[in-house]
Amino acid sequence: MLRRTFLIGGLTASGGFLLGIPAVKALAQVDPAGASGKIGFFVEIQPDNRVVIGAAQPEIGQGVRTSMPMLVAEELDVDWANVTVRQMPLGIVKTADGYTWKYGGQGAGGSTAVTNNWDFLREVGATARQMLINAAAAQWNVESASCRTEPGEVVCDTLGKRIRYSALAEQAATLPVPEEKPVLKSPSDYRIIGKPTGVVDIREIVTGKSRFGIDTDVSGMRYAVIQRSPYLDGTVKSFDDSKARKVPGVLDVFAIEGPAPGEPYLVLASGVAVVATSTWAAMQGRKALKIEWDKGPHQQESTESFWRQAEELLSGSGQVVRDDGDLDGMLRQARKVVTARYEIPFVNHAPMEPQNCFVHVDQDKARVIAPTQSPSGASRAIAAVTGLSREHIDVEMTRVGGGFGRRLTNDYVAEAAMISQKIGTAVKLQWSREDDVKHDFYRPSGLHEMKAGLDASGTITGWTQRLASAGKYYRRPNVTPEEQYAAELYVDDFPAQIIENLRIEWFEIQSGMPRGSWRAPAHTANAFVVQSFIDEIAHASGQDPLQLRLKLYGESRALPYGQHGGPTFNPWRLSRLLEHVARRIDYAAVRPAGRAVGVASHFTFGGYAAHAVELEVSSKGTLNIERIVAAVDCGVAVNPLGVEAQLEGGTIDGLSTALNLKITVSDGQVVQSNFHNYRVARMAQMPAVLETHVLPFGDKPTGMGEMGLPSIAPALANAIYNACGVRIRKLPLRDQLKKAFA
Amino acid sequence: MIEFHVNNKPVSFSGDEDTPLLWILRDHLKLTGTKFGCGIGSCGACTVHIDGLASKACTSKASTVAGKQVTTIEGLESAHGELHPVQQAWIDEDVPQCGYCQGGQIMAAIDLLKKNPDPSDAEIAREMRNICRCGTYVRIRKAIHRASAMMREGQ
């Protein structure tokens, strides 16, 4: 592996051993305080034999601060109880043709951290272990091959000797990093991988000591808030700051330039910034502003106009993005044709920690402390605002109070940079909850038209999905109009390649709503649509919905899968999970009227999940979710406790969103503003029982951040239909259930 | 000048009397375990105890805490580093994901257990109104039952 060639060993000031990748500075120049203090190294053996392992990825609640260091610790062969984990900063290195990673890729998106670092981090651990073995062998004057390790020690059985890693650190640090790829452990020898492991920094969390971005406090920093245009792509026409400037603590007020309509976003909106000596003073200053807005190009836009546009588009013909076999012929011959339309609303990410960012632009360099899913995006945002070269921009990462895709976009980092540059000092920008709900890169909204043709035996012979949507690639640089569909329709998804005659068609809705990646992006919409429609087909043709799925998924085989999560997809892995959840929920049991079970399953970014839901709908339409059984196959579960947490969290996120959530637009403005009208689920909506099952497969892990989410919404809708006969085709479910029983 | 106690230490605040306790704790006293989530007393990320009762720091004005005892998440640990049983139960059940709301959840759970030492699931659902966007509710529920058992056994 190429990245291994960058590994370098060295000595800490306190006599410990480091294994890191200081590709910029020679080791002798490494600041010892920096090395032993907080940054830049994957492995540090301390004199007391404790081990510090660096975590390079942003921790947004997906558990990588625990699971990534587990990979290093496993191959280094140390006791997990002796490990301390430290967050590493962004590491980028300037090369002749741009920038490359110093510590491997860093980012939280697409459920990729475990998959991408599985080999790399185990090799880091194994390399360090080999260097410690080599040091012991040299000391004992034996071959390295005659030595082995036990946690924290090198052992030579022939000599009957053992020595702690810490006693070898000084010598190991002087040895060259082995050229050859290290030998990795066999899974049967794992002591850490596969063992349920608690959140590594949980004590800091439950005692209030964890540092999130919002907790950043740097001496002399200012506090800022921004009043952004409530109108999509609206701009500041004029503003009166006379009252704002009189608020005690307010230091400065100035306009923030927004993006030009249709152009890529650096920041989300035009607005007016208020800088003060405290957050509250800045907020009070903002309240006192009088701003006249130019309402911009979308002031007529509303949710109603959006759906009208979708309907009009679907009455015409769109961009065919997949066309297998002879769909039209099959539909003509079909004994039965089933059609349905499904509506997916915009939704807000609403991470619990509102957006915030600390930036200090200081002449020829900048320091950033940001809760971000994309630290390199933060570095690019600062460079774009300031013109600074990226190697002079230090990005520190904090624990992140939720991401869900929102913090893949660093607009708030760019805003903070604009403010710091303008005032010439350090600033912490704080968004309010209202700012966050009203200014987001929302999950795209769309109208899906589905049609399936069946033959006399009930076999699906033709299938088409026509989607009119406002896609998330809107205003992305370097994406052509013909490529817009690719973010909303993953053309190799089930049932492509299984139903031979299949067409997928795309229509782009024009909208001023900013759109972006929302946890499991298009899978949340497509799983709801496809897995609801499969049930509709089953009911229309007198088949059992579970059996119909099992028949379609078929034998274990690798189907080519060209989108993220490929290169293959094995539909049988969904069958295995479905049968498991069906058994656990007692699928075939006869239940009293009003109570029923629904199932669904989905393949997301390389991982497989299935849900079974048992619920009751009263004669008045009151929904009571009794029990959810969720199962996931993410290959090897590096940390089963973390995998279960992600499956629980994904299920509840999916449930909360499907039941309750939508963002609507009126007069070119987002209607919702805070948790009173954007009603994220609370404890009261939880099912009495939530069971999670992790079914292992093969010898490689896939990520877990997103796959627990997509199949819960259709399982709920399918169970509701089975319980009361109401088929819900529009999200959120609760609104529609209410309507049906009104 | 408003004087009150935070985690048994006397503090004073001389700014705008309408300033919410949340921002006094965070910006002035540098006690950042109490989190900002909504600013309208809805999500509970800022839950603290004022004279022993769970309160939303984001909607408690400075003027209303004069002379009172405020306890934050940082004030639960004993001087010897011993955790409150609810904190320990949170660790035992491995509750947090992102962790942002958990300080407020713990403060709310302590309040619940004070009023109702052995709550049912339905009672937990009724009383625990704090939002957890990561969806750790099922583990929160388990942790409350565990803490309840620990605290009853401890008596």
Side-chain angles (χ1 to χ4, degrees):
Chain A
M1 171 170 280
L2 182 66
R3 283 183 292 185
R4 278 198 59 253
T5 63
F6 290 111
L7 289 175
I8 185 164
L11 194 62
T12 69
S14 53
F17 164 60
L18 292 167
L19 185 71
I21 315 176
V24 176
K25 299 173 179 174
L27 192 72
Q29 296 173 285
V30 170
D31 164 24
S36 60
K38 58 179 177 182
I39 58 168
F41 292 89
F42 280 108
V43 173
E44 178 184 332
I45 313 261
Q46 298 186 320
D48 62 357
N49 217 32
R50 282 196 65 80
V51 179
V52 179
I53 298 181
Q57 303 303 330
E59 174 61 70
I60 60 173
Q62 82 281 44
V64 289
R65 192 177 276 186
T66 307
S67 58
M68 301 281 103
M70 283 172 71
L71 300 177
V72 177
E74 177 69 67
E75 293 293 343
L76 176 61
D77 204 11
V78 290
D79 266 335
W80 183 248
N82 287 334
V83 170
T84 305
V85 173
R86 273 196 208 128
Q87 182 74 50
M88 292 161 75
L90 171 68
I92 52 171
V93 180
K94 193 167 189 182
T95 64
D97 54 354
Y99 290 88
T100 188
W101 300 108
K102 194 170 160 190
Y103 316 123
Q106 291 176 279
S111 301
T112 50
V114 172
T115 321
N116 291 350
N117 289 288
W118 169 243
D119 286 331
F120 173 51
L121 289 183
R122 286 186 305 147
E123 284 175 15
V124 167
T127 300
R129 174 176 165 270
Q130 189 58 52
M131 290 171 76
L132 291 159
I133 287 178
N134 294 350
Q139 196 167 321
W140 293 332
N141 208 12
V142 295
E143 291 293 315
S144 293
S146 71
C147 300
R148 60 185 179 85
T149 58
E150 284 181 13
E153 293 180 324
V154 179
V155 181
C156 177
D157 292 316
T158 42
L159 295 177
K161 283 189 172 177
R162 57 180 58 229
I163 184 168
R164 279 149 61 100
Y165 284 179
S166 53
L168 294 164
E170 198 172 333
Q171 198 171 354
T174 65
L175 295 176
V177 176
E179 292 286 326
E180 66 277 15
K181 210 175 163 117
V183 180
L184 298 176
K185 281 187 183 176
S186 139
S188 58
D189 294 331
Y190 288 161
R191 298 177 205 261
I192 295 171
I193 293 173
K195 200 172 151 211
T197 304
V199 173
V200 70
D201 48 351
I202 194 164
R203 194 179 168 104
E204 286 77 52
I205 296 172
V206 303
T207 53
K209 291 184 190 121
S210 278
R211 303 297 279 189
F212 292 83
I214 197 171
D215 303 329
T216 300
D217 179 39
V218 174
S219 176
M221 74 177 187
R222 305 304 190 195
Y223 300 79
V225 300
I226 299 174
Q227 178 63 53
R228 294 169 195 79
S229 167
Y231 298 94
L232 302 166
D233 282 324
T235 50
V236 178
K237 199 186 269 177
S238 64
F239 67 95
D240 172 0
D241 62 5
S242 53
K243 282 196 176 138
R245 285 181 180 276
K246 286 190 187 121
V247 171
V250 168
L251 301 168
D252 207 350
V253 181
F254 46 86
I256 295 283
E257 197 184 335
E263 292 300 309
Y265 295 102
L266 178 58
V267 299
L268 244 176
S270 154
V272 177
V274 179
V275 182
T277 53
S278 73
T279 314
W280 182 246
M283 286 174 166
Q284 294 308 101
R286 172 164 83 171
K287 236 189 240 171
L289 285 173
K290 278 196 199 121
I291 306 173
E292 199 186 335
W293 302 104
D294 180 329
K295 296 180 183 175
H298 310 291
Q299 53 187 292
Q300 308 291 330
E301 183 169 342
S302 67
T303 298
E304 294 70 29
S305 73
F306 184 90
W307 292 126
R308 271 200 306 277
Q309 204 191 137
E311 300 268 353
E312 277 162 29
L313 285 168
L314 287 181
S315 69
S317 53
Q319 180 190 359
V320 174
V321 297
R322 181 170 190 129
D323 199 4
D324 297 348
D326 175 19
L327 176 76
D328 297 326
M330 276 301 155
L331 288 178
R332 274 194 303 274
Q333 289 169 30
R335 287 289 289 272
K336 187 183 268 295
V337 173
V338 183
T339 76
R341 280 186 175 186
Y342 299 87
E343 256 181 47
I344 309 292
F346 288 108
V347 291
N348 170 226
H349 295 84
M352 284 311 293
E353 179 185 8
Q355 315 314 329
N356 62 81
C357 183
F358 169 91
V359 175
H360 188 188
V361 179
D362 184 12
Q363 292 176 9
D364 56 352
K365 63 182 193 296
R367 180 183 181 203
V368 185
I369 306 174
T372 178
Q373 293 178 247
S374 174
S376 98
S379 154
R380 282 194 299 270
I382 299 285
V385 171
T386 61
L388 287 171
S389 184
R390 290 180 64 201
E391 66 271 25
H392 299 130
I393 300 167
D394 287 331
V395 179
E396 295 166 42
M397 290 187 278
T398 62
R399 192 166 245 286
V400 183
F404 313 105
R406 172 62 181 88
R407 295 194 231 258
L408 288 168
T409 316
N410 287 280
D411 52 303
Y412 50 96
V413 176
E415 287 177 341
M418 289 173 173
I419 296 169
S420 176
Q421 195 171 33
K422 171 98 179 171
I423 64 176
T425 183
V427 71
K428 182 167 72 173
L429 170 69
Q430 182 62 57
W431 286 41
S432 67
R433 176 59 54 193
E434 288 80 5
D435 294 337
D436 180 73
V437 174
K438 288 196 176 290
H439 302 281
D440 192 2
F441 296 90
Y442 302 93
R443 181 184 74 179
S445 174
L447 180 62
H448 298 243
E449 183 182 270
M450 308 298 293
K451 192 178 282 186
L454 283 74
D455 68 13
S457 72
T459 301
I460 305 170
T461 53
W463 172 288
T464 177
Q465 176 176 14
R466 306 171 77 231
L467 169 60
S469 173
K472 80 167 186 183
Y473 279 170
Y474 171 63
R475 294 167 83 155
R476 283 271 173 107
N478 310 320
V479 180
T480 67
E482 292 70 34
E483 293 165 337
Q484 292 290 323
Y485 79 91
E488 311 311 323
L489 290 164
Y490 308 136
V491 295
D492 291 344
D493 267 357
F494 171 81
Q497 311 173 80
I498 290 172
I499 296 172
E500 281 173 25
N501 306 289
L502 177 142
R503 183 185 298 149
I504 304 175
E505 206 174 339
W506 163 256
F507 305 78
E508 172 91 26
I509 296 177
Q510 299 305 312
S511 162
M513 284 288 274
R515 288 93 75 175
S517 301
W518 191 98
R519 197 177 190 180
H523 286 301
T524 63
N526 290 314
F528 174 71
V529 170
V530 170
Q531 291 289 316
S532 294
F533 192 52
I534 288 283
D535 262 47
E536 295 214 49
I537 294 168
H539 292 299
S541 56
Q543 304 183 72
D544 176 79
L546 172 64
Q547 293 306 321
L548 177 58
R549 283 181 178 80
L550 298 179
K551 194 169 91 181
L552 287 165
Y553 293 154
E555 298 291 305
S556 180
R557 66 208 185 281
L559 297 175
Y561 189 86
Q563 291 88 54
H564 179 50
T568 61
F569 157 56
N570 182 348
W572 170 84
R573 289 169 73 177
L574 291 174
S575 286
R576 185 175 69 133
L577 297 173
L578 266 178
E579 288 184 305
H580 189 88
V581 298
R583 206 161 39 239
R584 293 293 311 181
I585 208 141
D586 204 358
Y587 181 80
V590 179
R591 292 174 165 84
R595 179 184 281 258
V597 161
V599 296
S601 49
H602 195 71
F603 170 69
T604 304
F605 301 157
Y608 299 77
H611 283 94
V613 178
E614 179 168 11
L615 52 74
E616 196 169 49
V617 181
S618 77
S619 55
K620 289 180 182 147
T622 308
L623 176 67
N624 184 21
I625 302 166
E626 298 280 338
R627 193 161 170 231
I628 297 177
V629 181
V632 72
D633 160 4
C634 60
V636 172
V638 172
N639 178 11
L641 202 53
V643 168
E644 283 170 20
Q646 285 309 299
L647 183 53
E648 283 171 20
T651 299
I652 289 167
D653 191 358
L655 175 147
S656 167
T657 309
L659 282 180
N660 308 319
L661 300 179
K662 66 176 175 195
I663 288 288
T664 56
V665 181
S666 178
D667 301 326
Q669 304 174 73
V670 169
V671 173
Q672 291 72 21
S673 58
N674 204 321
F675 291 127
H676 66 288
N677 56 13
Y678 190 71
R679 305 180 92 146
V680 172
R682 300 179 194 238
M683 182 72 84
Q685 275 190 321
M686 291 306 108
V689 177
L690 170 56
E691 264 182 47
T692 53
H693 301 267
V694 182
L695 276 65
F697 184 90
D699 59 3
K700 285 189 181 68
T702 68
M704 229 355 261
E706 296 167 280
M707 37 290 286
L709 193 144
S711 48
I712 182 64
L716 277 167
N718 292 337
I720 289 171
Y721 176 81
N722 293 339
C724 67
V726 175
R727 171 56 63 181
I728 299 179
R729 303 191 184 93
K730 295 180 186 183
L731 295 175
L733 298 169
R734 195 166 285 272
D735 287 1
Q736 299 303 314
L737 197 59
K738 214 173 181 180
K739 229 180 247 177
F741 280 83
Chain B
M1 173 91 80
I2 291 165
E3 295 185 333
F4 57 106
H5 280 74
V6 177
N7 300 332
N8 297 319
K9 288 189 194 110
V11 298
S12 62
F13 176 71
S14 54
D16 174 7
E17 296 201 351
D18 283 347
T19 306
L21 174 61
L22 170 69
W23 297 110
I24 299 175
L25 292 172
R26 294 185 52 82
D27 287 356
H28 299 272
L29 302 176
K30 314 294 181 192
L31 288 169
T32 54
T34 304
K35 298 297 193 237
F36 170 52
C38 68
I40 59 167
S42 172
C43 76
C46 66
T47 305
V48 296
H49 295 167
I50 301 177
D51 279 353
L53 291 174
S55 310
K56 308 289 182 350
C58 76
T59 49
S60 303
K61 290 178 181 179
S63 54
T64 69
V65 296
K68 302 208 166 158
Q69 298 279 346
V70 174
T71 307
T72 71
I73 186 74
E74 292 96 336
L76 295 181
E77 238 177 315
S78 77
H80 321 292
E82 207 176 304
L83 297 178
H84 188 284
V86 173
Q87 291 173 306
Q88 188 57 50
W90 246 247
I91 292 176
D92 295 343
E93 293 293 345
D94 199 41
V95 172
Q97 287 186 26
C98 87
Y100 191 80
C101 75
Q102 299 297 348
Q105 301 278 5
I106 288 168
M107 297 310 282
I110 290 172
D111 188 64
L112 162 65
L113 290 171
K114 210 181 286 175
K115 293 176 193 151
N116 181 352
D118 188 15
S120 66
D121 280 0
E123 287 163 342
I124 292 172
R126 199 164 55 232
E127 297 300 322
M128 290 293 292
R129 299 269 306 142
N130 288 15
I131 293 176
C132 170
R133 184 62 185 79
C134 298
T136 64
Y137 296 114
V138 176
R139 293 190 189 196
I140 288 175
R141 196 162 62 194
K142 282 186 198 158
I144 290 173
H145 287 305
R146 180 186 279 265
S148 159
M150 282 162 62
M151 290 163 81
R152 280 177 292 125
E153 276 163 24
Q155 276 167 6

